[in-house]
Amino acid sequence: MKKSSIVIAGGGSTFTPGIVLMLLKHSDRFPIRQIKFYDNDAERQKKIAEACKILLAERAPEIAFSYTTDPEEAFTDVDFVMAHIRVGKYAMREKDEKIPMRHGVFGQETCGPGGIAYGMRSIGGVLEILDYMEKYSPKAWMLNYSNPAAIVAEATRRLRPDSRIINICDMPVGIEERMAEILKLPNGRKDMEVRYYGLNHFGWWCDIRDKQGHDLMPQIKAHVKEHGYVVNPNDKNVEASWQDTFAKAKDVYAVDPDTLPNTYLKYYLYPDYVFQHDNEHPDHTRANEVMEHREKHVFAAAKDIVDKGTAKDCAFEADDHASYIVDLAEAITTNQKARMLLIVENNGAIANFDPTAMVEIPCIVGANGYEKISIGKIPQFQKGLMEQQVSVEKLVVDAWINGSYQKLWQALTLSKTVPSASVAKAILDDLIEANKAYWPELH
Ligand SMILES: NC(=O)c1ccc[n+]([C@@H]2O[C@H](COP(=O)([O-])OP(=O)(O)OC[C@H]3O[C@@H](n4cnc5c(N)ncnc54)[C@H](O)[C@@H]3O)[C@@H](O)[C@H]2O)c1
Ligand SMILES: O=P(O)(O)OC[C@H]1O[C@H](O[C@H]2[C@H](O)[C@@H](O)[C@@H](O)O[C@@H]2CO)[C@H](O)[C@@H](O)[C@@H]1O
Ligand SMILES: [Mn+2]
């Protein structure tokens, strides 16, 4: 079987070790000849890369490994670019989450004003690495995790319509794993076949069946009605804020019991609850939790490997976040025709929704990319919510392309998470100040 060459863009990411371990774990179905890391922060990347260098030398010496900040070195001779950059890093995520709070609106990484600010930073960064890929490895595929995936996907649709980029998200993967646990399915989520529709971080399951075609929705709904997506309330491996999110799915589900919701809908259906909950500790948001936990844990594990000179018994862990990107790469490499949720241009897959919208729906993935599964007409409730949200995302891309203050004010004003045009303007003016080093100049 063909051996692939991969560059991980955002090599200094806290998720990089998990992806490397997942790649090694699945090397039988997706063999690799080369792994490279690319980042624009040499110091951050070096800490992760030097640890992964030791791990790979010990566990997979046949794989060529290198890391660089030089685009030509990074993007030459690759089959896949696995992209998970965070433009502005956690310092800017913290601002995305805290600035809206000053104005009575919740702050979040990818949703509401925080997601809009993040999108205005990410578009340039993702286009830059996509252009590097097309320059140095034009036949490669970019498998993009960089967030906010909805805005990044709309920007690449508009500005790089012919690019070989597939935008993905692992939130449905994580929720489906929980559904499978609720159902006690032996092979986890892979024992399910789902129909799902929406935008990224803004979607619903409308049909879930086992491989024999039996309807699994009633049993899952009965659980979610009582417990949300919480499986074990005492699971020490789940951070408290994530446990809250899984529990809140109960109230999100109550609004439309005909479907099962993505957890992110809580931000749009209960923005008041989220703000009140987060405003109990406005100086300590999710970004602070991630810096105190995941970032500290991953970089401490990397340092431990380098200090000891071995990755034996190291604390690096693979996670489901990584398996999805491997599934996608394998499906393309082996023309597997695997059924996967992707963020793709609608073009009629959802019959009564904007054909140019980037929607998250099941696709069949093979060597030439993907084919969309037809969803048909969606209900008025979801259609109305999605039309508002997709318009926000499109206005953000308009603002980025045209350097338009007016369009970005409209995007914030239109968001279901912002109460008025005056609050939107106050948040916008603060975000402009904080993002001077990252956003295009607005006029
Ligand atoms: N799509 C999904 O479902 C999903 C799931 C998890 C994480 N993510 C995303 O993955 C990304 C990484 O997350 P993280 O928490 O590990 O972030 P992180 O800050 O730990 O790592 C991001 C890396 O990207 C680098 N970077 C920033 N701008 C860059 C640029 N212009 N070019 C090259 N490198 C650049 C940074 O230096 C950093 O090393 C984020 O965008 C996050 O939102 C997406
Ligand atoms: O607050 P964070 O940085 O921990 O998570 C934000 C991301 O959350 C989702 O990804 C989760 C995924 O759903 C879960 O199964 C597990 O793999 O961890 C991931 C990262 O926590 C979401 O899909 C991403 O877009 C967010 O960036
Ligand atoms: Mn996601």
Side-chain angles (χ1 to χ4, degrees), residues 301-368:
K303 184 175 185 307
D304 189 49
I305 292 169
V306 173
D307 290 350
K308 290 178 180 168
T310 178
K312 191 173 177 309
D313 305 326
C314 75
F316 278 169
E317 295 160 359
D319 64 22
D320 62 11
H321 163 269
S323 66
Y324 202 55
I325 206 164
V326 176
D327 291 348
L328 183 52
E330 181 198 10
I332 293 169
T333 305
T334 63
N335 195 33
Q336 199 183 48
K337 303 301 184 182
R339 184 180 173 118
M340 304 181 73
L341 294 188
L342 305 179
I343 305 162
V344 297
E345 187 169 6
N346 183 28
N347 268 340
I350 301 174
N352 58 337
F353 192 59
D354 182 339
T356 69
M358 292 303 278
V359 293
E360 197 162 30
I361 56 173
C363 296
I364 304 299
V365 181
N368 297 310

Side-chain angles (χ1 to χ4, degrees), residues 49-77:
E50 281 299 316
C52 291
K53 183 175 166 185
I54 293 168
L55 183 145
L56 286 163
E58 288 178 341
R59 302 187 192 179
E62 71 286 0
I63 293 175
F65 176 73
S66 61
Y67 63 95
T68 181
T69 56
D70 175 71
E72 183 169 5
E73 205 181 309
F75 291 87
T76 298
D77 179 33

Side-chain angles (χ1 to χ4, degrees), residues 3 13 19 32 35 43 82 171 191 210 225 240 242 310 334 362 375 381 385 410 433-434 439:
K3 290 196 171 190
S13 160
I19 285 188
I32 295 161
I35 295 175
E43 190 190 338
M82 294 183 173
M171 194 72 245
D191 281 343
D210 65 17
K225 185 167 183 260
W242 269 107
T310 178
T334 63
I375 296 296
F381 177 63
L385 283 168
Q410 288 173 357
E433 185 56 33
W439 287 7

Side-chain angles (χ1 to χ4, degrees), residues 4-9 19 23 30-37 64 66 74 77-82 329:
S4 296
S5 170
I6 291 157
V7 60
I8 295 178
I19 285 188
L23 287 167
F30 180 59
I32 295 161
R33 62 182 169 87
Q34 173 169 245
I35 295 175
K36 296 192 269 190
F37 291 175
S66 61
D77 179 33
V78 298
D79 303 299
F80 292 101
V81 178
M82 294 183 173

Side-chain angles (χ1 to χ4, degrees), residues 10 12-15 38-41 44 84-90 109 118 125 128-129 145-147 168-171 201 294 321:
S13 160
T14 59
F15 292 105
Y38 168 77
D39 204 299
N40 67 355
D41 179 334
R44 184 182 178 88
H84 56 190
I85 66 174
R86 184 185 294 278
V87 179
K89 292 198 277 278
Y90 292 131
E109 181 200 26
Y118 189 10
E128 182 183 60
I129 59 176
Y145 259 133
S146 311
N147 266 323
I168 50 177
C169 170
D170 65 5
M171 194 72 245
H201 288 187
R294 184 169 72 237
H321 163 269

Side-chain angles (χ1 to χ4, degrees), residues 169-179 189 205 246 320:
C169 170
D170 65 5
M171 194 72 245
V173 173
I175 296 170
E176 286 172 9
E177 286 299 350
R178 288 176 168 269
M179 291 172 174
R189 58 184 283 272
W205 284 268
F246 292 125
D320 62 11

